[in-house]
């Protein structure tokens, strides 16, 4: 019973349900690699690898930030600083999740297996970057951005440079909404000597930088459509992302960050799923038309 309680608390702590952020883009990479639907074996192990990767990264982040979270009024009630979980339990949870990621990569192909420790290192490194660089948002973006490239390799066993456009797009997308999220810790980061774009340039300028990052994302998505010769559904998907990003940015201003959680959690999950649906429609209709 204690094990189940600790497990439930851990999953709540890492917001397990938010695995939806990068997973749709990983599936985009897999479908582009397969030019349609990958095998059930590939999809199943890609999903396992993605969930395990994010789980390990988030749990490790909570371990690395335990003293910071304890000092920040916004995060002091999290399970580790509040004492609801032991560090040893979460440490073991990270090790098991990392093992599942590596095993899933083994089930996919040899290249994925050999690269899995590199992916894991990138995921874990992010937790320390805000201690020394204001660009930690881009490191987080890259940690999630490697998902579509990893999924491509999982399907093909090799790399096509074109998929790096999607990795770059996801990098700037995540960096943009992470800048938005960091605005609420502007005062604490300055007091604690932590690094972030809002801490260096203020909330108002940070909001503009987040908009710039999201504009770069849209340009990269357009380049992706061109590089793969995608059609009207993929283009419509970009249009939908434009509208959703516009709404997300309308939820926050330098004088009102009260709706930031809605902007961060809800809208970005929707953006990822919507783009995947449109890209999948494009690939599937194209494949059906070729038959």
């Amino acid at each position: 019973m204690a094990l189940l309680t600790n497990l439930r608390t851990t999953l709540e702590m890492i917001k397990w349900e938010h695995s939806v952020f990068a997973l749709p883009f990983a599936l985009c990479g897999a479908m582009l690699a397969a030019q349609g639907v990958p095998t059930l074996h590939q999809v199943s192990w890609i999903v396992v690898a993605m969930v395990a990767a994010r789980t390990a990264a988030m749990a490790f982040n909570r371990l690395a930030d335990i003293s910071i979270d304890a000092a920040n009024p916004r995060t002091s009630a999290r399970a580790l600083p509040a004492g609801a979980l032991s560090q040893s339990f979460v440490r073991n949870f990270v090790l098991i999740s990392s093992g599942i990621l590596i095993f899933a990569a083994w089930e996919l192909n040899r290249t994925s297996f050999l690269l899995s420790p590199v992916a894991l290192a990138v995921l874990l490194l992010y937790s320390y970057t805000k201690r020394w660089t204001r660009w930690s948002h881009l490191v987080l973006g890259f940690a999630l951005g490697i998902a579509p490239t990893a999924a491509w390799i999982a399907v093909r066993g090799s790399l096509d440079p074109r998929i790096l456009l999607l990795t770059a797009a996801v990098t700037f997308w995540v960096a943009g909404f992470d800048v938005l999220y960091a605005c609420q810790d502007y005062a604490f980061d300055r007091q604690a000597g932590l690094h972030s774009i809002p801490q260096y340039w203020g909330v108002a300028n940070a909001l503009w930088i987040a908009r710039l990052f999201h504009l770069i994302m849209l340009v990269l998505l357009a380049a992706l459509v061109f590089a793969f010769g995608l059609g009207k559904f993929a283009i419509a998907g970009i249009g939908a992302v434009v509208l959703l990003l516009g709404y997300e940015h309308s939820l926050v201003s330098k004088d009102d960050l009260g709706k930031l959680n809605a902007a961060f959690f809800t809208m970005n999950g929707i953006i990822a799923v919507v783009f995947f649906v449109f890209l999948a429609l494009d690939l599937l209709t194209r494949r059906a038309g070729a038959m």
Side-chain angles (χ1 to χ4, degrees):
M1 185 63 70
L3 175 62
L4 291 177
T5 299
N6 286 341
L7 182 59
R8 183 170 59 251
T9 302
T10 303
L11 293 176
E12 290 172 354
M13 175 184 70
I14 65 172
K15 303 294 183 185
W16 182 82
E17 66 275 16
H18 294 146
S19 298
V20 70
F21 282 169
L23 180 57
F25 285 107
L27 295 176
C28 285
M31 291 195 70
L32 285 168
Q35 284 298 295
V37 181
T39 67
L40 179 60
H41 177 88
Q42 289 169 335
V43 171
S44 298
W45 286 110
I46 287 170
V47 171
V48 170
M50 284 296 303
V51 173
R54 185 191 178 277
T55 298
M58 285 297 297
F60 184 82
N61 179 262
R62 296 295 186 254
L63 275 174
D65 284 357
I66 185 170
S67 60
I68 295 172
D69 287 345
N72 187 342
R74 184 180 67 82
T75 57
S76 60
R78 285 176 175 170
L80 277 171
L85 284 172
S86 69
Q87 293 187 49
S88 61
F89 181 87
V90 178
R91 194 175 297 115
N92 290 333
F93 187 80
V94 171
L95 290 173
I96 292 170
S97 299
S98 300
I100 293 172
L101 164 62
I102 293 171
F103 180 76
W106 170 265
E107 286 289 332
L108 286 161
N109 56 57
R110 184 172 183 271
T111 304
S112 295
F113 173 68
L114 292 175
L115 291 175
S116 60
V118 178
L120 191 58
V122 172
L123 290 168
L124 302 186
L125 170 68
Y126 158 71
S127 294
Y128 295 103
T129 53
K130 63 184 175 185
R131 292 162 171 81
W132 50 271
T133 177
R134 74 193 73 176
W135 303 108
S136 59
H137 316 282
L138 285 168
V139 180
L140 175 62
F142 182 69
L144 274 70
I146 60 177
T149 295
W152 178 286
I153 294 171
V155 172
R156 292 280 187 97
S158 60
L159 177 66
D160 185 322
R162 293 178 297 171
I163 197 61
L164 297 178
L165 290 167
L166 188 53
T167 282
V170 175
T171 296
F172 280 98
W173 168 61
V174 173
F177 71 66
D178 192 55
V179 168
L180 292 177
Y181 193 64
C183 287
Q184 62 190 328
D185 287 331
Y186 163 76
F188 175 78
D189 287 350
R190 177 158 290 189
Q191 176 189 346
L194 296 172
H195 301 274
S196 70
I197 284 176
Q199 198 265 58
Y200 273 86
W201 286 298
V203 172
N205 289 328
L207 295 179
W208 280 108
I209 292 171
R211 292 166 190 148
L212 174 62
F213 282 174
H214 284 157
L215 178 60
I216 294 172
M217 175 218 184
L218 294 170
V219 171
L220 288 164
L221 288 180
L224 179 82
V225 168
F226 176 79
F228 280 96
L230 301 175
K232 59 184 180 181
F233 283 113
I235 294 171
I238 296 176
V241 171
V242 170
L243 294 175
L244 291 168
L245 284 174
Y247 176 68
E248 175 182 315
H249 284 275
S250 75
L251 294 175
V252 294
S253 69
K254 66 182 181 66
D255 299 315
D256 183 10
L257 301 175
K259 296 179 181 178
L260 193 54
N261 280 337
F264 181 74
F265 294 117
T266 306
M267 290 309 303
N268 287 291
I270 292 172
I271 286 168
V273 171
V274 164
F275 184 75
F276 166 69
V277 168
F278 276 98
L279 184 135
L281 281 171
D282 197 285
L283 290 171
L284 293 175
T285 55
R286 184 179 298 264
R287 187 179 180 90
M291 288 179 159

